[in-house]
Amino acid sequence: MNPKNLKYFLLFFIIFINDSLKSSQTNNVGIKNKYDQLNKSTIFSWEKTIGGDDKEAIKWEFFNDEKIRNQIYEQKIVNSLKTKKINSLNRSIVFDNDEVGPDVSWLFPSGFSWNKKYKFDINARGHNTSIPAPNNINFFGWNNGDAVGLVSYQFLHKDKSSFGLNFGVRSLYEGSKLGGTTKFGEGLSSGFRWDYQIDNYSGFAIGAEQLIHFDNTTDTGRNIYITSSKGWWKKDMKGNDTFPLDIATGGIGTGRMAIGNIKGLCSNLLDDGTETQAFRRLCWSPIFSLARVWNKKFSTFFEYNSRFFLLGSSLAPVKEIPIRGTFALIISDHRDNYKIHDASELTWTFNLSLGF
C-alpha cells in the first residue's frame, strides 16, 4: 500500500473508532435512563430455556406492577384456601394440623387422624331431657336432662397414625329421679382411640369411650366404634380447593350407638353398659353423619347414631383458641320407629369442647 494512502486510512480508522466510542457511551446512557424509568414501575423476571444446541439460555420477560399485584393477590387466595390435610380433635376437624374447625358429628368421633398440635380435649356432651323423654316437654327448659364429661389425651403420634386414652365422667348434673340421678363425679370410666390417615382427606379410627367401668354407676354405654371419614372440597374455576367442604363419616358402633332397631353381631363377651340394672348383650349397629363445613368456623350436619336422627350445627368462633360449641335437634328416635317428631316433641342436644 502507498504510504500516503496508509496515512489517510489510519486517520479514517481513528476517527471511526472515536465516533463509535462516543455513540456507544451515548447509547449506554440512554439505555440506563430507560432502565431506571422502567425499574420504577417494572419488575424483571426470567426463566431458563433450553436452546437448540442444548446450552442454557436466559429468556427475559417484562411484568408491570398491575400484573404482579394480581398474581400475588391470586396466590394469596389460593394459599388461604389450599389445605394439605384434614385432621381431627375429638368430634371436630382440624385444618393442616393447625387451625381447629367445627364439629362434624355429635355422638361419635370422626375417622380423621388426630392432629399433632392439640393433644388434650375436654368435652361436655348432653341433652335437655331425661331418657326416655317425658310427655310434657318444654323445648327451652332443661327437663331433667343430663350431661357426661370426657377428657381425651392423644399422646402417641407417628407420621400417619396416633394413639391415646380417654377418661369419662358419667354425670355432670345431679337432679331429680327423672334424670341426672347419678351424683356429680360418679360413673368413672376410660377408653382408647387409635386412628390412621389414609390420605390427606380421609382416614379411619378404632376406639371406645366408657369401655372400662370403674364403678357400677356408669350407664352411658361401652361405646366402641369403628369409623371412616372422607372429605371433598369444592373446586373453583381454576381447580383450587375452596369451601364448602363436604365430609361423610360412616361405621359401626356399640353401647349408646346400638340401642336402635337395626343391630346385630351381638355377644355376651361384654354387656352394652347402657343400664345399671339390666345387663344387655353388646351389639353393633351402623352409624353415619353427613356434614357440610361452610368455612373454617361453621358447619351443619345430619347424623344417625342408632338411637337418634339429628340435625345439628357447630361453631368454632375463635381462631386462636380451640373452643367449639354444637347444638343439634333430635328429629326422631328409635322408640316410635324413627317417626319424625312434631314441634311439641322436639328436644335438643349439645357439645361444648376445649382443646389444648
Side-chain angles (χ1 to χ4, degrees), residues 118-136:
Y118 301 103
K119 295 183 179 181
F120 285 93
D121 188 68
I122 301 175
N123 171 259
R125 184 179 73 252
H127 41 78
N128 77 320
T129 64
S130 58
I131 301 295
N135 293 327
N136 298 320

Side-chain angles (χ1 to χ4, degrees), residues 287-306:
I287 52 178
F288 71 85
S289 72
L290 302 173
R292 169 155 287 189
V293 183
W294 300 95
N295 51 51
K296 289 188 175 182
K297 294 184 177 182
F298 182 70
S299 68
T300 53
F301 62 87
F302 173 70
E303 175 182 319
Y304 169 72
N305 55 41
S306 177

Side-chain angles (χ1 to χ4, degrees), residues 265-276:
L265 302 175
C266 298
S267 171
N268 292 321
L269 181 62
L270 292 171
D271 65 88
D272 66 359
T274 58
E275 298 181 26
T276 57

Side-chain angles (χ1 to χ4, degrees), residues 236-280:
D236 63 13
M237 296 182 63
K238 294 185 177 181
N240 300 311
D241 296 337
T242 184
F243 288 104
L245 165 66
D246 293 322
I247 293 177
T249 298
I252 55 176
T254 68
R256 291 292 184 189
M257 296 179 284
I259 292 181
N261 303 328
I262 303 174
K263 55 188 176 183
L265 302 175
C266 298
S267 171
N268 292 321
L269 181 62
L270 292 171
D271 65 88
D272 66 359
T274 58
E275 298 181 26
T276 57
Q277 297 179 355
F279 295 94
R280 304 179 185 276

Side-chain angles (χ1 to χ4, degrees), residues 32-49:
K32 184 178 185 302
N33 292 338
K34 185 176 181 181
Y35 173 82
D36 291 340
Q37 293 176 359
L38 289 171
N39 194 40
K40 294 179 181 179
S41 60
T42 306
I43 297 176
F44 294 89
S45 68
W46 60 273
E47 61 179 1
K48 291 183 178 179
T49 60

Side-chain angles (χ1 to χ4, degrees), residues 208-341:
E209 297 171 357
Q210 296 92 230
L211 177 64
I212 300 175
H213 297 177
F214 298 125
D215 54 38
N216 60 359
T217 59
T218 300
D219 61 353
T220 49
R222 301 184 193 273
N223 296 337
I224 308 169
Y225 61 86
I226 303 173
T227 58
S228 180
S229 296
K230 172 71 176 178
W232 294 269
W233 289 95
K234 181 182 177 182
K235 299 291 185 180
D236 63 13
M237 296 182 63
K238 294 185 177 181
N240 300 311
D241 296 337
T242 184
F243 288 104
L245 165 66
D246 293 322
I247 293 177
T249 298
I252 55 176
T254 68
R256 291 292 184 189
M257 296 179 284
I259 292 181
N261 303 328
I262 303 174
K263 55 188 176 183
L265 302 175
C266 298
S267 171
N268 292 321
L269 181 62
L270 292 171
D271 65 88
D272 66 359
T274 58
E275 298 181 26
T276 57
Q277 297 179 355
F279 295 94
R280 304 179 185 276
R281 293 197 302 166
L282 189 77
C283 298
W284 294 81
S285 175
I287 52 178
F288 71 85
S289 72
L290 302 173
R292 169 155 287 189
V293 183
W294 300 95
N295 51 51
K296 289 188 175 182
K297 294 184 177 182
F298 182 70
S299 68
T300 53
F301 62 87
F302 173 70
E303 175 182 319
Y304 169 72
N305 55 41
S306 177
R307 187 172 196 170
F308 301 133
F309 277 98
L310 298 171
L311 280 177
S313 60
S314 181
L315 182 67
V318 183
K319 179 179 179 180
E320 294 77 14
I321 304 175
I323 185 171
R324 297 91 68 204
T326 297
F327 177 86
L329 291 176
I330 300 175
I331 59 175
S332 67
D333 63 59
H334 71 286
R335 292 180 303 158
D336 52 4
N337 201 26
Y338 305 112
K339 178 183 177 182
I340 301 298
H341 291 167

Side-chain angles (χ1 to χ4, degrees), residues 144-163:
N144 292 302
D146 203 358
V148 297
L150 186 73
V151 179
S152 300
Y153 177 35
Q154 204 77 2
F155 57 89
L156 182 61
H157 289 267
K158 294 186 177 180
D159 183 35
K160 291 189 175 183
S161 63
S162 71
F163 178 83

